[in-house]
Amino acid sequence: MKTDRQGVTGAGVAWMATLALLWGSSFLWIKLALRGFNPVQITFGRLLLGFLVLAPIVMFRGLRFPRDGRTWGHLFMAALVANAIPYFLFGLGEQTVGSNVAGVLNATTPLWTLLLAFLVGVDPNVTATKAVGFAVGFLGVVVIFSPWESAAEIASWGGLACLAASASYGLSYVYMGRYLTGRGISPLVLSASQLGAATILLALAMPFAGLDAPEWRWDAVGSLLVLGALGTGIAYVLNYRIIQDEGPTAASVVTYLLPIVAVILGWAVLREAITVAILAGVVLVLGGVILSKRTRSGVRSKEVAE
């Protein structure tokens, strides 16, 4: 794996832009898929499609899926907090809030990751810069929610669901960093295995929560296909490729582009309003993330889930 000492290559920039577009557009595809499917059905569909994309790649490369029960136990737990819960919560949240808002709230994931890593002792060092970063980032969340506006749609259960989804992502990075990564298993195998485990979890939940008859609209079906095959499957492959070719620091830059992509697409496709609160929230959240990942010397701290 490269260490980011050299500049990002032209191909790397192209891969990063593509990944930002795939992940940043996921919130738009969720919004469109909700026109025909409920959140449980969307979550199951995107997980299954993502797994069907990754599994053949793993086998084609001659890689092996884990065989011991302990690893699979950790994979199922990671699948619950990294896929099943947040995917469902974003679908649930976007029933009442815009895709742009969901994308902006998703940007709080690194803040949750660092906060939870501190609480469980994975990253016990809290500098003044990190503390300021936390404060600035969560101030951005308050601005986005604008609780002083009684009619604000974001200050609702939908907005809270999206925020909870981001916290679940943060928990998953800490969990995977402690129990799954750095154990000699290919990230591609981990990704495929985790999506497979999450698909099983959603299949078990479908009889209880996914009984609503779907409406097979072309826009909903197409959005679900793109969300699953591209935004969940191919995006994992691209992320793995960027980390391998350009290094983890370069790959992490994509995180800062996702809310920008989500806001622009929400406005361009769905005519979702771009308010002052959303723009200010984006700036504060991303500023907080940047600050919270810096050490005293100004160098970015190591990613928890690297």
Side-chain angles (χ1 to χ4, degrees), residues 107-128:
T108 63
T109 295
L111 296 175
W112 291 112
T113 303
L114 291 170
L115 177 60
L116 292 169
F118 167 72
L119 292 177
V120 300
V122 175
D123 183 10
N125 299 317
V126 177
T127 65

Side-chain angles (χ1 to χ4, degrees), residues 75-107:
L75 282 167
F76 269 93
M77 180 58 68
L80 180 66
V81 295
N83 302 109
I85 290 176
Y87 286 6
F88 168 73
L89 287 176
F90 272 119
L92 187 69
E94 287 196 47
Q95 289 181 320
T96 59
V97 303
S99 65
N100 55 357
V101 171
V104 173
L105 292 177
N106 178 74

Side-chain angles (χ1 to χ4, degrees), residues 29-30 94 121 127 143 153-154 161 212 216 231 238 261 266 293 306:
W29 303 127
I30 292 172
E94 287 196 47
T127 65
V143 172
E153 65 164 354
I154 304 169
D212 297 341
W216 299 96
L238 279 180
V261 173
K293 287 188 174 184
E306 183 177 317

